[in-house]
Amino acid sequence: MTSGTDTRDAKAHLRYVRISPRKVKIVLDLIRGKDVGRAVGILKSTPKIAAESLYKLLNSAVANAENNHHMDPTKLYVSECFVCPGPILKRAMPRAQGRTFRINKRSSHITISVREKAEQGG
């Protein structure tokens, strides 16, 4: 039997998404550890802007699992999902009395990993 880090995961990455990592994390917390079918249902019914990108990314991870790792798509679950901050575009907003305020346009790097459920024996 292998340990948790030795088992194969199918991953999908989405980089330089123009959504704040803070907003993406809210949706990722909803699907972490769920079955893929249930996670897809959650993403389709979530009204957050990040849900559409995460839906496509999850489908990509499932396709990677099926085609590259020969896993059964009905047994998959979201084993790991996280977001890291990407580069920040810094913009200036004019304010009163000739001042400027900085506007940070944040971006994200998102990773979703799926794994097959272990068979429960005996």
Side-chain angles (χ1 to χ4, degrees), residues 5-78:
T5 57
D6 293 339
T7 58
R8 289 188 309 183
D9 285 357
K11 292 185 178 183
H13 305 279
L14 183 60
R15 297 173 50 90
Y16 302 104
V17 183
R18 265 288 297 121
I19 306 171
S20 170
R22 186 174 172 180
K23 295 177 181 178
V24 175
K25 186 180 181 307
I26 293 169
V27 184
L28 283 178
D29 289 342
L30 295 174
I31 64 168
R32 187 174 291 115
K34 302 275 193 307
D35 293 336
V36 167
R38 190 162 186 206
V40 165
I42 290 170
L43 291 175
K44 283 191 147 249
S45 63
T46 301
K48 297 283 188 182
I49 195 71
E52 184 180 351
S53 298
L54 292 177
Y55 172 73
K56 291 180 182 180
L57 185 63
L58 181 59
N59 284 338
S60 176
V62 171
N64 290 342
E66 189 175 1
N67 295 317
N68 300 342
H69 300 291
H70 308 292
M71 296 180 185
D72 183 7
T74 60
K75 295 180 182 176
L76 294 176
Y77 72 99
V78 180

